[in-house]
Amino acid sequence: MIKIDVPYINQSEKYPTGCESVTTVMLLHYLGYDISVDEFIQKHLAVKGFEKRNGILYGPNPWECFAGSPYDPDSMGCYAPVICRALASVAGDKYEVHNETGKDLGYLVETYLRQDMPVILWNSINMREPVIGPQWRLLDNGEVFTWISNEHCMLLVGENENAYIFNDPYENRGVIECPKEIIENRYQVYYRQAIGLTSR
């Protein structure tokens, strides 16, 4: 069994769609950085809102920036490259940020958890079934983008024989255990996104 003790932050009171940022700041606190979630969002996170053009909704590409605002419950979220850039702008002097999207969970455990390094991981809220979510046209090229709803980001802090262990920022859930089979499934649906750090 592996279980890394990481300071916990609850996203729900102030950052209803800010799971990616809150999860990242938990990792930064574990590494000794004195940074608030607000500072991370306002100084380091690329954020862009939505707009209507001739009655059609346009918005950003979540692979490039946060879609909406982490403070807005009706906003969406962002994907691994966005968090990689924000994290590197905070910790890039001491740590190398690795976008591990596509890697097996077993690889993440061996490479990071066994070296006492938690992993930022995309999954679903409360292990809900992912559902095809809203669509919008991308601001830069007009292509239609489809969001997968119930997207969530948590900090992988451990594992045991049957479960993966997370710091889950949603609704003050704290440290949770989730069955490996369910995590594997949700991880697959959300493009197998993960981020790890190594010391420089």
Side-chain angles (χ1 to χ4, degrees), residues 50 56-62 67 76-77 134-139 142-147:
F50 291 83
I56 298 172
L57 183 66
Y58 281 77
N61 187 338
M76 301 301 161
Q135 293 183 326
W136 61 88
R137 293 189 179 274
L138 296 179
L139 289 164
E143 290 182 4
V144 175
F145 180 88
T146 302
W147 180 255

Side-chain angles (χ1 to χ4, degrees), residues 119-136:
V119 176
I120 299 168
L121 194 100
W122 273 254
N123 228 270
S124 65
I125 296 172
N126 286 344
M127 298 303 107
R128 292 175 191 159
E129 287 283 349
V131 295
I132 300 302
Q135 293 183 326
W136 61 88

Side-chain angles (χ1 to χ4, degrees), residues 59-149:
N61 187 338
W63 294 102
E64 297 173 359
C65 63
F66 189 98
S69 166
Y71 301 99
D72 177 5
D74 294 324
S75 287
M76 301 301 161
C78 64
Y79 293 152
V82 181
I83 294 300
C84 281
R85 288 193 297 272
L87 183 54
S89 72
V90 179
D93 56 335
K94 294 180 181 177
Y95 295 93
E96 188 167 350
V97 179
H98 304 277
N99 185 344
E100 298 289 16
T101 295
K103 297 291 175 59
D104 292 337
L105 285 164
Y107 168 87
L108 300 175
V109 170
E110 293 301 320
T111 305
Y112 296 103
L113 288 190
R114 292 197 186 281
Q115 313 306 319
D116 293 323
M117 180 62 74
V119 176
I120 299 168
L121 194 100
W122 273 254
N123 228 270
S124 65
I125 296 172
N126 286 344
M127 298 303 107
R128 292 175 191 159
E129 287 283 349
V131 295
I132 300 302
Q135 293 183 326
W136 61 88
R137 293 189 179 274
L138 296 179
L139 289 164
D140 56 355
N141 60 21
E143 290 182 4
V144 175
F145 180 88
T146 302
W147 180 255
I148 302 176
S149 292

